[in-house]
Amino acid sequence: MLITQAEIDDAAMVLAPVMRRTPMVASRVLSERSGSDVWLKCENLQRTGSFKPRGAFYRISRLTPEERAAGVVAASAGNHAQGVAWSAAHLGITSRVYMPVGAALPKLAATKAYGAEVVLVGETIDESLVAARAFAEETGATLIHPFDHRDIVAGQATVGVEICEQMPDVGSIVVPLGGGGLLAGIAAAVKARRPDVRIIGVQAAQAAAWPTSLQEDMPVAATHMSTMADGIAVALPGDVPFAHVRELVDDVVTVDEGQLATALLLLLERAKLLVEPAGAAGVAALMSLDLDLPGPICVVTSGGNIDPLVLSHVTTAGLTASGRFLTVTATIPDRPGGLISLLELLREQGASVVDVVHSRVADDLQLGEVQVTVSAETRGAEHQEAVRAALADAGFLR
């Protein structure tokens, strides 16, 4: 049974005093690319930096006094962890959170700062969830699942309520998709009010359990997960979200790592928004895929918690994917002036050199040659092709 309008209304009432009504921001660059007005629903500006406290707070607020006394436990790569920790602290309840060993340090530190006891277990959220379930069974603590519970979905549905109120003429909504709680909640809230609105879920291609699950008409675990979008790297969709997505969502699509990085970079540069890779999935789909969506379009940016070191790597990947960062390996004579001639050519082509690495031990080098790997800033794909062609014509590329 899908969540009801009464459940969504109750969640909205409970959350109104504690959750931020996140802004809706227009995006001119995305509007130009899609041909429709595009607005960003900025859940990256929510408390704790993502939409997660909506579901976590509503779920915890409904616990009995006996359940509250026993505390809560959760498993998360970071955003749900922070949502549970903040919500539990606000309600005066103890919390323990199991996080994967590779969880981003800022998310780990923030979870501790919000008052939770943090335990690192496993390589994935799913492995951490096993440990959290075991702790719940041993101690009587209530497991606050990141997505597979009616109260969680009802809490996340308040994002959809706000979208309908802030953007009454919305034609399509594009939502990042991991376990499915956010997409399920938005679909439930929006379709009850506007069944004509087209709703699209977006997964990372390298952690995409939903396409197969929907094809098989049941949750099916992904066999491989390796994505920068850790917030939506969920191997197995939840039963509760699956029922909603199967019935209410119009389509689920995937985006690759380069598209995620490019979207994150665009949000930084053009929208001045710090959004993590998972939170940028909807923008990546709108930028890179031919979705043919009725407008106006709302894209949910679901979270903004990203490790600065990861941000550095992702922005470099985004620059590379968008044709603004070029790395080439050239062969030059091992004599005075060899490197200068290469750098002069790059200068003439308008490429700004960032880094140069020499090597005299590459397998295919002949006597008297040096291999040089050069990284340079370029102005786009066409400029990169021109630089490569000039290097090849000058004999620097083999």
Side-chain angles (χ1 to χ4, degrees):
M1 177 179 165
L2 305 188
I3 61 171
T4 65
Q5 186 61 50
E7 289 174 279
I8 297 173
D9 290 343
D10 185 65
M13 180 185 68
V14 170
L15 295 177
V18 293
M19 288 298 112
R20 292 172 179 157
R21 186 181 180 90
T22 53
M24 195 80 77
V25 177
S27 173
R28 184 172 64 85
V29 63
L30 290 175
S31 297
E32 291 173 350
R33 294 193 184 194
S34 67
S36 298
D37 287 340
V38 176
W39 293 74
L40 304 174
K41 176 60 171 169
C42 299
E43 283 296 291
N44 57 301
L45 302 178
Q46 185 53 265
R47 292 186 183 278
T48 77
S50 84
F51 70 95
K52 288 291 190 177
R54 294 178 184 264
F57 191 96
Y58 184 59
R59 171 80 173 98
I60 297 172
S61 73
R62 288 170 56 79
L63 297 180
T64 66
E66 293 76 18
E67 289 171 329
R68 292 188 180 206
V72 297
V73 61
S76 167
N79 287 344
H80 180 60
Q82 292 173 74
V84 168
W86 178 84
S87 299
H90 190 87
L91 292 166
I93 300 170
T94 60
S95 63
R96 172 183 280 213
V97 177
Y98 289 86
M99 302 179 74
V101 173
L105 291 179
K107 293 183 178 181
L108 190 155
T111 303
K112 290 181 178 179
Y114 287 127
E117 176 188 0
V118 175
V119 181
L120 300 180
V121 174
E123 299 298 325
T124 67
I125 298 174
D126 301 273
E127 293 176 6
S128 300
L129 189 55
V130 172
R133 283 199 176 102
F135 179 80
E137 292 174 1
E138 292 169 5
T139 66
T142 298
L143 175 66
I144 308 300
H145 197 283
F147 49 83
D148 201 16
H149 193 279
R150 294 179 68 87
D151 290 345
I152 295 291
V153 173
Q156 318 307 22
T158 59
V159 178
V161 173
E162 291 180 14
I163 291 172
C164 288
E165 293 173 351
Q166 294 170 301
M167 197 174 175
D169 60 343
V170 64
S172 302
I173 304 175
V174 187
V175 186
L177 174 59
L182 178 62
L183 180 61
I186 289 175
V190 173
K191 290 290 189 177
R193 294 163 172 78
R194 291 278 312 282
D196 59 306
V197 174
R198 187 165 174 80
I199 299 179
I200 307 296
V202 186
Q203 277 210 293
Q206 293 184 206
W210 278 93
T212 302
S213 297
L214 291 170
Q215 184 178 359
E216 296 293 329
D217 199 32
M218 61 181 290
V220 177
T223 58
H224 173 73
M225 291 201 306
S226 177
T227 176
M228 68 177 75
D230 62 332
I232 54 176
V234 178
L236 183 66
D239 291 332
V240 174
F242 184 82
H244 290 75
V245 172
R246 177 178 56 190
E247 184 167 332
L248 301 174
V249 172
D250 296 284
D251 198 7
V252 169
V253 299
T254 62
V255 290
D256 63 30
E257 300 298 284
Q259 291 163 342
L260 286 168
T262 301
L264 185 148
L265 183 63
L266 178 135
L267 287 165
L268 272 175
E269 290 190 320
R270 303 298 295 274
K272 314 308 176 190
L273 291 172
L274 179 62
V275 179
E276 62 190 276
V283 172
L286 199 62
M287 289 176 61
S288 306
L289 307 179
D290 184 15
L291 298 178
D292 190 25
L293 299 176
I297 300 169
C298 173
V299 184
V300 180
T301 54
S302 56
N305 295 313
I306 183 169
D307 186 327
L309 292 175
V310 175
L311 178 62
S312 175
H313 294 315
V314 173
T315 51
T316 298
L319 289 167
T320 301
S322 61
R324 294 169 51 197
F325 194 84
L326 173 66
T327 299
V328 293
T329 299
T331 303
I332 64 174
D334 188 11
R335 60 173 182 266
L339 178 59
I340 290 177
S341 61
L342 171 64
L343 298 179
E344 281 289 334
L345 178 57
L346 290 171
R347 181 187 64 80
E348 292 169 3
Q349 293 297 315
S352 178
V353 175
V354 176
D355 190 39
V356 178
V357 178
H358 287 73
S359 175
R360 289 184 170 85
V361 295
D363 291 340
D364 58 345
L365 286 178
Q366 299 179 11
L367 187 64
E369 292 181 337
V370 176
Q371 191 177 81
V372 179
T373 300
V374 182
S375 298
E377 295 176 353
T378 50
R379 297 188 297 271
E382 292 185 4
H383 186 209
Q384 281 196 0
E385 289 303 315
V387 172
R388 288 182 182 276
L391 291 171
D393 291 342
F396 289 116
L397 302 183
R398 288 180 173 171

